[in-house]
Amino acid sequence: MNFDLKCEETLEEIKKRRDIPSLLLHACCAPCSSYVLEYLSNYFSITILYYNPNIYPAEEYHRRLEELKTFLPKRKYSHPVSLVEATYHNSEYYKAIKGMEELGERSKRCYSCYQFRMEEASKYAKENHFDYFTTTLSISPYKKSDWINEIGKELEEKYGVSYLYADFKKRNGYKRSIELSKEYELYRQEYCGCEFSKKVRETMLVK
């Protein structure tokens, strides 16, 4: 499936509606959110869910959260954008990837990480009566959009909330996120989030 085209088709359908649907957007950081908000805020009333217990250490988690909080008021959007912070328990991440700690980047460990964060988003969307849910994760060129959208489809079927299929890196989405990061001087982290990706990055820097 062409996820970028699927997204465009959904947005074209929304254009024809008289109401503004609600979207729960799982977000991992300000840079990844920047372009996605610019793109989607013309079509949705958006609530960002910051649920990322994979981020290590806690100081890094809070730094990314504060950067997101600081960034949001700096831009004007076509429709309301708000932020919900979920509880941070790093132990939840380790439970989700138990037995996969030694796997490398872009492995089943990462799949499980996407899955458990997106499931929290879909549950929240169900409980709070959102029309759609999606995630910013596909904007990263280091993350597999096929996996992310496969998970989204399964969660849509499980919880009954429409999933917005997307590959946000397409149409120069990733490039635009870098431009916005520079424009607003956003903190761009050097690793995905978990302690394993942090160690990989540190090893690369030593070499």
Side-chain angles (χ1 to χ4, degrees):
M1 182 187 294
N2 185 325
F3 302 115
D4 177 58
L5 180 59
K6 178 70 173 175
C7 183
E8 282 296 304
E9 289 174 350
T10 302
L11 298 182
E12 284 299 317
E13 291 173 5
I14 289 172
K15 271 185 182 180
K16 300 172 185 176
R17 295 172 54 165
R18 293 185 178 182
D19 64 321
I20 304 301
S22 57
L23 171 72
L24 184 74
L25 175 65
H26 166 262
C28 53
C29 62
C32 289
S33 302
S34 60
Y35 165 72
V36 178
L37 288 172
E38 180 180 74
Y39 180 40
L40 296 182
S41 63
N42 293 319
Y43 305 92
F44 298 99
S45 172
I46 300 175
T47 297
I48 298 170
L49 178 67
Y50 186 78
Y51 178 70
N52 301 290
N54 59 305
I55 297 177
Y56 173 89
E59 292 79 9
E60 178 71 18
Y61 169 90
H62 291 294
R63 183 176 183 181
R64 297 186 192 190
L65 173 60
E66 290 307 311
E67 190 74 353
L68 186 55
K69 288 179 178 179
T70 301
F71 168 67
L72 290 179
K74 293 181 178 179
R75 302 213 70 198
K76 291 183 178 180
Y77 300 103
S78 301
H79 302 296
V81 174
S82 59
L83 173 66
V84 172
E85 177 193 358
T87 305
Y88 175 70
H89 293 302
N90 193 226
S91 58
E92 294 175 353
Y93 167 69
Y94 293 106
K95 288 178 183 176
I97 57 96
K98 186 175 181 180
M100 295 178 276
E101 294 87 348
E102 300 305 316
L103 299 180
E105 296 297 286
R106 295 167 66 86
S107 67
K108 179 63 177 176
R109 187 188 71 216
C110 298
Y111 184 98
S112 296
C113 180
Y114 307 159
Q115 189 173 44
F116 98 101
R117 285 188 285 164
M118 289 176 66
E119 177 142 19
E120 186 67 20
S122 59
K123 284 192 290 186
Y124 188 95
K126 170 79 171 179
E127 291 165 0
N128 292 277
H129 311 291
F130 282 84
D131 297 309
Y132 292 85
F133 79 98
T134 194
T135 178
T136 63
L137 292 174
S138 70
I139 199 168
S140 170
Y142 305 106
K143 292 182 173 62
K144 296 183 178 182
S145 296
D146 286 356
W147 283 1
I148 293 164
N149 286 282
E150 174 186 300
I151 293 165
K153 181 177 184 296
E154 292 172 355
L155 293 172
E156 177 182 62
E157 293 170 354
K158 182 175 180 179
Y159 292 99
V161 181
S162 296
Y163 173 72
L164 182 66
Y165 292 87
D167 188 351
F168 291 121
K169 70 177 69 65
K170 296 295 180 66
R171 300 175 189 263
N172 290 318
Y174 178 66
K175 179 183 177 183
R176 178 60 178 156
S177 74
I178 294 175
E179 292 171 351
L180 288 167
S181 295
K182 290 179 179 177
E183 180 180 348
Y184 291 94
E185 299 182 334
L186 299 178
Y187 163 62
R188 290 184 64 84
Q189 57 275 8
E190 294 185 342
Y191 63 101
C192 178
C194 70
E195 69 164 304
F196 308 107
S197 61
K198 186 174 188 293
K199 287 177 181 176
V200 169
R201 177 62 179 170
E202 289 171 346
T203 300
M204 292 173 62
L205 291 174
V206 169
K207 291 180 179 180

